[in-house]
Amino acid sequence: MTTKVVITQPVVLDSRDSDEWGSGICDCCDDVPECCFAYWCCPCFACVKTKEYGQCLCLPLLDIFGFVPPATLGMRISMRHRYGIKGSICNDCLIATFCVSCAWCQMSREMKRRYIPIALVNARPTF
């Protein structure tokens, strides 16, 4: 029996279009249906967007514990780091605390704007 060793890993592309958010925190008119969904059912919207981002579906439910919503703050910081967006944790904290629905809408628009499909080149199952 022979074993195969994977020497090279698939390359993950990183989107670094700009160092600014693609839309402002109050640009709700850019995607009205999503903003309505976020406004009327923010926990559901946040769970869906967290799953699309690649995190646990139930992560935003942690926001009910505490004054500063930890999941919203964490997702915002993670997104800034992933996409290379300038900003500060202080600004993220203020937005996550006082503009939760708007923050999730902005993150959703940013994910749509910077979406890169992952393609595995020469991916073969090894047995």
Side-chain angles (χ1 to χ4, degrees), residues 6 8 13 17 41-42 46 51 66 71 82-83 106 113-114:
V6 178
T8 58
L13 299 175
D17 295 342
C41 190
C42 190
K51 181 69 175 170
R82 180 182 287 185
Y83 297 137
Q106 184 184 36
R113 183 174 165 262
R114 296 181 187 245

Side-chain angles (χ1 to χ4, degrees), residues 40-89:
W40 292 110
C41 190
C42 190
C44 297
F45 183 79
C47 288
V48 168
K49 295 304 164 181
T50 301
K51 181 69 175 170
E52 287 177 12
Y53 189 69
Q55 299 299 320
C56 177
L57 175 72
C58 298
L59 182 67
L61 300 179
L62 292 173
D63 282 352
I64 62 172
F65 301 109
F67 180 68
V68 177
T72 303
L73 179 61
M75 284 289 294
R76 207 170 152 78
I77 292 169
S78 173
M79 192 168 289
R80 275 196 314 101
H81 286 286
R82 180 182 287 185
Y83 297 137
I85 298 170
K86 289 188 292 187
S88 68
I89 193 166

Side-chain angles (χ1 to χ4, degrees), residues 22-24 26-33 35 109:
S23 60
C26 293
D27 288 343
C28 294
C29 294
D30 290 352
D31 196 344
V32 176
C35 286
R109 291 189 300 270

Side-chain angles (χ1 to χ4, degrees), residues 5 7 26 34-35 37 43 52-53 69 75 92 97:
V5 177
I7 297 173
C26 293
E34 279 207 344
C35 286
F37 179 26
E52 287 177 12
Y53 189 69
M75 284 289 294
D92 291 334
T97 303

Side-chain angles (χ1 to χ4, degrees), residues 80-117:
R80 275 196 314 101
H81 286 286
R82 180 182 287 185
Y83 297 137
I85 298 170
K86 289 188 292 187
S88 68
I89 193 166
C90 183
N91 188 38
D92 291 334
C93 187
L94 288 171
I95 289 172
T97 303
F98 298 108
C99 307
V100 178
S101 296
C102 294
W104 281 104
C105 286
Q106 184 184 36
M107 290 188 287
S108 174
R109 291 189 300 270
E110 199 65 30
M111 287 188 322
K112 283 183 181 178
R113 183 174 165 262
R114 296 181 187 245
Y115 176 72
I116 297 176

